[in-house]
Structures are given as C-alpha cells and as structure tokens.
C-alpha cells in the first residue's frame, strides 16, 4: 500500500458509527465484508453473512477468513488520531490510544473507512489517555465481595460466538474479552494477549486468584491466548477452537501450553 498511501498531519477524530473494524490495509476486506465497511455499517448483517459460510469453505469467506485481515475494532465515541489516508480518501490510517499496543506508542494502528470518523473541531481535546466517557459497568456489592468484579462482566458473554479481532458484545476474541471487560471499568489495558502479559503484574501459577489472567504459548512462540481465571485450573475465555466464549476447566492442551499468569489493575 505504500505507493497509494498519503501521509497527513495527525488530526483528532471520534468514531461516529456504533462499531467499525480496523483493517490491516484498505484492500484487506473481502466482498463479504461490505456490510461492515459501508458508509453506514451494519455489523449484524456482516456477521450473519460470515456465519452463512462454513469455516472449511475454500472461499475463506467465513469468520476464520478474517485472520491476517483484521487488527481490532473501534466503538462509537472512541478517540483516534488520523495519521494518513489512501489516495482515494475513502480509507484513513488511525492509531487508537484507548488500545495500548507495542505496535505504536500512540495506540493500536489500523485502517478504517473515513466515513466512520467525525473530525474533532479545532480547540476541542477529546480524552485520549483514559476511557473517560466510556460506559462504566455497575456490579452488585455482593459480587464485589465474593469474587473479582471482572468475572461477572465476562460471564455476561458466555455462549457468544468467537470473532477474530472482535472487541464488542457482537463478537469477541480472547484478548478482546479481557480488553472489553477492563474498559467497562474505565481502565486502559493493551489490546493483544502478548502485550497484556507484558503489561500485567506477574503472578506465580500456583498463586492465581479470581480475576487474574492465564497466558498460553507454544514452545518457542509468543503468547497467543489469554483467559480470565475463575479459580486455579478454571477460566472464562473466548475460545477460537471451541467457537464460543466459555467457562471451563483447563484442558490437557491448555495445561501443556500455560506459560505465565498476570494481574491487571483491579477495578
């Protein structure tokens, strides 16, 4: 894309649609992704279109076909910095400061349709270092006393279909579940599992408590999966292999690939 990309002075903007997807490049979306890249996106119709195609379809038009295409998602009112555009002007390259990432110190990078953004007027300064103004959850005091409050929020999504890059209640991936849950408490954490592991306070595997995070990796590879600890040996997580968000005991494969545990700031 370097030949067809023009840079611009970074400008502030807000997401002006309910949800938009951040793509790796302007040419990443497939024909089946048209509902989510339209000027007025329809996320539910997009997901229904993906689900109409079996995951083993050679066309790659199902949910698993999003691998290598999607970076993350943004929600209405989320601030971004626009740092470039393609030559048509239809696509904007942005960084999202509410989504911490080693990929860019300014925030998670990706491409979104320009029509999904609303420029911030000169002189206005939207919050970019915290999630001030984002929805903040309320949890019953008894729940707060009994267990980590993040578990109550994570369990709201049990049975939700897995979505690579998903960051909303319409679909979540493993690290998206963690990010979405802590964001609802107004806490900024990294977007990806490997970055969440680096950000979290280390916890010994034999000393985990409810609300801690389990991290998983294959030998010699970086962390690829994360789950929220319910109790030692049990977690809530968005499982790509299982296809849905579940609460379950660690399987033999999970135990074999469990490498570290960590603790995020408590709400």
């Amino acid at each position: 894309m370097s030949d067809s990309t023009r840079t611009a002075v970074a400008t502030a903007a807000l997401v002006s649609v309910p949800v938009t997807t951040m793509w790796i490049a302007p040419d990443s979306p497939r024909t089946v992704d048209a509902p989510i890249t339209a000027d007025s996106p329809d996320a539910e119709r997009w997901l229904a279109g993906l689900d109409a195609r079996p995951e083993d379809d050679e066309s790659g038009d199902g949910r698993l076909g999003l691998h290598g295409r999607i970076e993350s998602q943004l929600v209405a009112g989320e601030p971004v910095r626009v740092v470039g555009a393609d030559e048509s002007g239809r696509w904007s390259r942005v960084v999202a400061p509410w989504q911490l990432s080693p990929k860019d110190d300014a925030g998670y990078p990706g491409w979104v349709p320009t029509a999904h953004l609303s420029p911030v007027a000169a002189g206005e300064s939207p919050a970019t270092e915290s999630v001030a103004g984002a929805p903040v959850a309320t949890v019953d005091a008894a729940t707060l006393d009994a267990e980590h409050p993040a578990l109550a929020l994570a369990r709201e999504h049990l049975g939700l279909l897995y979505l690579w890059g998903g960051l909303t209640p319409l679909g979540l991936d493993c690290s998206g579940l963690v990010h979405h849950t802590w964001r609802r408490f107004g806490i900024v954490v990294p977007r990806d599992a490997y970055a969440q592991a680096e950000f979290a306070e280390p916890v010994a595997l034999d000393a985990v408590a409810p609300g801690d995070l389990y991290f998983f990796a294959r030998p010699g590879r970086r962390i690829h999966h994360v789950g929220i600890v319910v109790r030692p040996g049990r977690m809530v997580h968005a499982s790509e292999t299982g296809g849905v968000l579940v609460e379950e005991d660690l399987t033999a494969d999970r135990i074999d690939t469990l490498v570290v545990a960590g603790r995020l700031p408590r709400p």
Side-chain angles (χ1 to χ4, degrees):
M1 291 306 302
S2 59
D3 291 339
S4 59
T5 301
R6 55 185 172 86
T7 58
V9 176
T11 58
L14 298 175
V15 176
S16 56
V17 295
V19 57
T20 186
T21 294
M22 298 174 69
W23 301 87
I24 289 177
D27 60 359
S28 294
R30 307 157 295 180
T31 300
V32 71
D33 300 317
I36 196 65
T37 60
D39 288 355
S40 297
D42 187 335
E44 292 184 357
R45 186 162 70 91
W46 173 54
L47 295 175
L50 301 186
D51 294 338
R53 294 160 172 79
E55 296 298 1
D56 58 359
D57 185 347
E58 292 183 1
S59 70
D61 281 345
R63 291 191 179 217
L64 294 184
L66 294 171
H67 281 267
R69 297 179 182 275
I70 284 182
E71 294 281 17
S72 186
Q73 292 184 311
L74 302 164
V75 298
E78 186 164 352
V80 297
R81 301 292 295 181
V82 179
V83 296
D86 73 342
E87 289 189 344
S88 73
R90 185 176 183 272
W91 288 89
S92 292
R93 179 165 173 79
V94 303
V95 291
W98 285 3
Q99 301 183 38
L100 307 181
S101 174
K103 295 181 179 182
D104 194 308
D105 291 342
Y108 212 101
W111 290 86
V112 300
T114 303
H116 296 182
L117 304 176
S118 176
V120 174
E124 294 185 13
S125 180
T128 58
E129 300 302 326
S130 70
V131 291
V136 176
T138 57
V139 180
D140 184 82
T143 301
L144 289 171
D145 293 338
E147 60 185 358
H148 196 286
L151 287 173
L153 299 191
R155 285 174 171 144
E156 291 180 1
H157 307 297
L158 291 175
L160 182 69
L161 290 177
Y162 180 96
L163 179 66
W164 175 263
L167 202 66
T168 81
L170 292 174
L172 295 161
D173 62 15
C174 65
S175 57
L177 171 65
V178 172
H179 183 92
H180 172 73
T181 299
W182 264 260
R183 179 187 287 198
R184 289 183 64 189
F185 289 110
I187 298 174
V188 172
V189 301
R191 170 62 178 91
D192 292 332
Y194 72 93
Q196 291 170 355
E198 295 172 359
F199 180 86
E201 175 189 349
V203 176
L205 288 173
D206 60 358
V208 294
D212 288 343
L213 303 180
Y214 278 142
F215 295 99
F216 304 84
R218 301 289 180 190
R221 305 185 68 177
R222 77 179 185 186
I223 287 167
H224 67 270
H225 191 65
V226 59
I228 304 173
V229 175
V230 175
R231 61 173 183 267
R234 188 173 179 83
M235 67 179 178
V236 176
H237 67 128
S239 170
E240 182 172 35
T241 54
V244 297
L245 198 151
V246 294
E247 178 177 333
E248 61 184 0
D249 292 339
L250 298 183
T251 63
D253 180 67
R254 295 296 185 198
I255 292 172
D256 288 344
T257 56
L258 176 60
V259 289
V260 294
R263 183 168 297 156
L264 296 177
R266 185 181 176 95

